[in-house]
């Protein structure tokens, strides 16, 4: 089975969050289980690894923007073929910009002809998030079967229909309410949802949540229909357990059991000059989705019982709020993303806070538990699916007060060393490997390949 993944980022070449982590782990595990796997992503200017150019030229693709001087690079790693599509729109530092709809329509139009030029013929396309949604639509027009994964429904790739429709190269009928049109805009997330043979989300609970007005981001009607058609399901993300292994982690003092965490806790305490109170860690994008405003609102209460160590960047207002707290003797804020420090926080903290308003899956809670650090999480999305009541501390309300109460419960439990140790040992024993999810995806691909192609959502003679 030749599987081609298409995504805007893939670790270790490009990454801004969980999407890149998934594309760094899932394809490799699929290759280990016997699939022939190719991953296609943009050839960003910031990619530092040596990529070999294997093709260069103009691509014949429909649309109002010519695809000239396209480069295709290749790198093989871990049994996976990585292809990088280079376009002028990506010759700038960084990953994402305000003109991304324009940039990623160009990328999407280049993917299929680029694969043809280098001799890769997919059995199944697996496209990820809105940046690859147009690839699903173009692939369906070419008779390809596709799986489309929603990693975060909030980001949809919308642009005004007058400009955006011409960029895509799709026929006019594709912009009816059954296709890409969404309140007068092109919606590239909707392209993936409508044209895919199967749609997945990154946790079972999130697959249910997005069929409701609270989480559906205006697409809940379509998602309810996909559910009724048997085309929407949730497959929980796994965790790269080689990258996140406390027994071999070079960024911390390695440990194999709860007792071994003590050295990491002492080191983190010394690094930030913290007192003897337990440490509540946070490694997060700073956004309201992640509930970071709730965390800031709870700090007056939290700092009575906890040291709080936060690593992250994002919303300037939230960064400013945490900088103000950084002078507090029990708060340490490090702005930006720093992977070695992230490892030290996961290993050295006692508890880990994730007060997300919504969380499609989340990897941080899995990492924390693998390191014996107990999560305090809001009951939503993948946090429900991964944090057992007997291990972590869950709360329902998206308020500072609800977070404070859950942390107070955790603090009381922390004083019962026998119970806390039992919870931490249970956390470290949980299996979040990619093996089970990978087999689910391979089974899904097999069902897609054995099923007839669904009719196009346009006229019968299209």
């Amino acid at each position: 089975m030749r599987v081609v993944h298409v995504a805007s980022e893939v670790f270790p070449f490009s990454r801004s969050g969980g999407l890149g982590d998934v594309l760094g782990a899932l394809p490799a595990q699929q290759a280990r289980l016997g699939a022939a796997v190719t991953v296609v992503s943009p050839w960003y200017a910031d990619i530092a690894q040596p990529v070999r150019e294997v093709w260069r030229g103009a691509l014949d693709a429909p649309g109002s923007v010519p695809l000239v001087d396209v480069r295709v690079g290749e790198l093989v790693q871990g049994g996976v073929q990585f292809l990088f599509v280079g376009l002028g729109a990506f010759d700038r530092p960084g990953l994402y910009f305000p003109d991304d709809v324009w940039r990623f329509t160009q990328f999407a139009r280049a993917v299929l002809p680029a694969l043809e030029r280098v001799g890769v013929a997919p059995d199944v396309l697996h496209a990820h998030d809105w940046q690859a949604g147009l690839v699903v639509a173009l692939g369906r027009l070419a008779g390809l079967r596709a799986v489309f994964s929603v990693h975060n429904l909030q980001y949809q790739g919308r642009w005004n229909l007058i400009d955006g429709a011409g960029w895509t190269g799709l026929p006019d009928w594709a912009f009816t309410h059954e296709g890409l049109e969404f309140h007068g805009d092109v919606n590239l997330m909707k392209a993936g949802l409508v044209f895919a043979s199967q749609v997945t989300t990154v946790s079972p609970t999130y697959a249910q949540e997005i069929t409701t007005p609270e989480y559906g981001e205006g697409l809940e009607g379509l998602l309810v229909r996909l559910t009724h058609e048997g085309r929407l399901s949730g497959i929980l993300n796994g965790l790269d357990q080689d990258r996140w292994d406390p027994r071999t982690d070079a960024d911390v003092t390695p440990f194999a059991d709860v007792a071994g965490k003590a050295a990491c806790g002492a080191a983190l305490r010394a690094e930030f000059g913290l007192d003897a109170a337990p440490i509540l860690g946070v490694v997060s994008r700073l956004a309201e989705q992640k509930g970071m405003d709730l965390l800031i609102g709870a700090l007056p209460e939290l700092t009575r019982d906890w040291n709080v160590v936060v690593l992250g960047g994002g919303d300037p207002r939230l960064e400013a709020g945490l900088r103000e707290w950084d002078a507090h003797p029990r708060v340490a804020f490090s702005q930006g993303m720093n992977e070695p420090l992230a490892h030290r926080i996961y290993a050295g903290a006692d508890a880990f806070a994730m007060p997300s308003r919504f969380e499609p899956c989340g990897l941080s809670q899995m990492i924390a538990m693998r390191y014996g650090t107990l999560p305090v999480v809001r009951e939503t999305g993948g946090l429900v699916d991964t944090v057992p009541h007997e291990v972590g501390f869950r709360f329902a309300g998206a308020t500072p007060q609800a977070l404070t109460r859950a942390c107070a419960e955790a603090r009381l439990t922390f004083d019962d060393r026998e119970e806390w140790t039992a919870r931490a040992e249970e956390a470290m024993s949980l299996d979040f490997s990619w093996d089970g999810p990978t087999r689910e995806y391979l089974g899904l691909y097999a069902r897609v390949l054995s099923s007839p192609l669904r009719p196009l959502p346009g006229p019968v003679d299209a």
Side-chain angles (χ1 to χ4, degrees):
M1 186 189 298
R2 168 63 68 178
V3 181
V4 172
H5 291 271
V6 184
S8 61
E9 57 185 77
V10 51
F11 181 84
F13 312 107
S14 54
R15 178 186 181 275
S16 69
L19 173 62
D21 289 329
V22 170
L23 271 295
L26 173 60
Q29 185 63 19
Q30 289 178 334
R32 291 187 194 105
L33 294 180
V37 186
T38 298
V39 178
V40 185
S41 68
W43 197 340
Y44 294 106
D46 290 342
I47 291 178
Q49 291 82 351
V51 177
R52 180 174 65 95
E53 184 177 297
V54 295
W55 186 87
R56 179 191 286 260
L59 291 175
D60 183 17
S64 60
V65 181
L67 296 178
V68 297
D69 195 27
V70 181
R71 298 175 299 133
V72 181
E74 180 188 48
L75 190 154
V76 178
Q77 182 173 292
V80 177
Q81 177 190 42
F82 294 93
L83 295 178
F84 302 92
V85 177
L87 297 154
F90 293 89
D91 290 340
R92 59 178 86 160
L95 300 186
Y96 301 121
F97 295 90
D99 61 347
D100 275 346
V101 173
W102 171 71
R103 295 169 75 228
F104 282 103
T105 53
Q106 292 189 64
F107 168 70
R109 289 168 53 230
V111 167
L112 295 179
L115 288 170
E116 184 178 358
R117 294 299 186 279
V118 299
V120 175
D123 296 312
V124 178
L125 283 172
H126 189 163
H128 300 263
D129 263 355
W130 74 261
Q131 295 91 344
L134 178 58
V135 181
V136 176
L138 294 169
R140 175 62 188 85
L141 294 181
L144 291 174
R145 291 166 169 81
V147 171
F148 182 62
S149 286
V150 177
H151 295 256
N152 190 331
L153 192 65
Q154 188 175 55
Y155 304 101
Q156 297 182 4
R158 292 176 60 177
W159 201 264
N160 76 79
L161 197 60
I162 295 173
D163 294 329
W167 297 342
T168 67
L170 292 172
D172 290 344
W173 60 259
F175 297 95
T176 68
H177 74 281
E178 293 283 335
L180 280 71
E181 190 276 334
F182 186 73
H183 299 293
D185 288 343
V186 169
N187 184 321
L188 298 181
M189 174 70 79
K190 193 180 176 196
L193 297 175
V194 169
F195 285 90
S197 297
Q198 287 286 326
V199 175
T200 68
T201 68
V202 289
S203 72
T205 295
Y206 190 57
Q208 298 168 9
E209 288 177 338
I210 61 175
T211 63
T212 68
E214 183 180 0
Y215 295 97
E217 303 291 344
L219 291 168
E220 59 272 8
L222 170 59
L223 292 160
V224 167
R225 193 179 83 209
L226 294 182
T227 302
H228 290 160
E229 294 173 352
R231 290 201 292 133
L232 176 62
S233 60
I235 298 177
L236 189 67
N237 278 345
L239 181 66
D240 185 339
Q241 298 199 129
D242 294 327
R243 179 179 166 201
W244 299 104
D245 188 345
R247 298 167 300 180
T248 58
D249 193 330
D251 291 312
V252 304
T253 301
F255 61 94
D257 54 28
V258 176
K261 278 179 61 71
C264 297
L268 189 64
R269 202 177 303 279
E271 179 174 356
F272 291 105
L274 304 174
D275 64 22
I279 300 173
L280 181 68
V282 177
V283 178
S284 178
R285 181 164 50 89
L286 300 184
E288 289 193 358
Q289 177 216 324
K290 297 292 186 179
M292 290 299 102
D293 55 319
L294 309 182
L295 176 78
I296 293 171
L299 282 174
E301 293 295 325
L302 294 181
T303 49
R304 295 181 181 183
D305 295 320
W306 299 89
N307 290 296
V308 182
V309 179
V310 181
L311 168 64
D315 187 325
R317 296 170 301 169
L318 297 173
E319 290 178 351
L322 286 166
R323 278 196 301 271
E324 290 181 11
W325 273 95
D326 193 39
H328 191 286
R330 282 189 168 177
V331 177
F333 170 52
S334 182
Q335 185 176 331
M337 291 311 296
N338 178 330
E339 178 141 337
L341 176 56
H343 284 243
R344 297 197 297 275
I345 293 172
Y346 286 122
D350 298 290
F352 191 90
M354 291 184 70
S356 305
R357 283 184 167 81
F358 68 93
E359 192 64 64
C361 178
L363 296 177
S364 290
Q365 78 281 12
M366 300 184 200
I367 299 168
M369 288 186 284
R370 186 153 169 78
Y371 284 71
T373 301
L374 302 188
V376 182
V377 301
R378 186 163 174 268
E379 290 187 318
T380 185
L383 302 177
V384 173
D385 297 323
T386 54
V387 180
H389 283 290
E390 64 272 17
V391 170
F393 304 88
R394 292 164 36 171
F395 62 97
T399 65
Q401 294 76 20
L403 171 61
T404 299
R405 287 192 294 270
C407 287
E409 179 189 353
R411 183 65 181 85
L412 286 173
T413 306
F414 180 82
D415 290 334
D416 184 341
R417 300 309 300 163
E418 184 176 346
E419 181 180 350
W420 189 271
T421 299
R423 284 175 178 253
E425 288 175 346
E426 176 68 17
M428 294 185 73
S429 73
L430 296 174
D431 179 12
F432 293 117
S433 73
W434 268 106
D435 184 68
T438 299
R439 294 180 189 277
E440 288 189 64
Y441 277 117
L442 293 176
L444 183 65
Y445 301 159
R447 292 195 297 277
V448 165
L449 287 172
S450 66
S451 301
L453 270 173
R454 296 184 64 259
L456 287 165
V460 173
D461 60 348

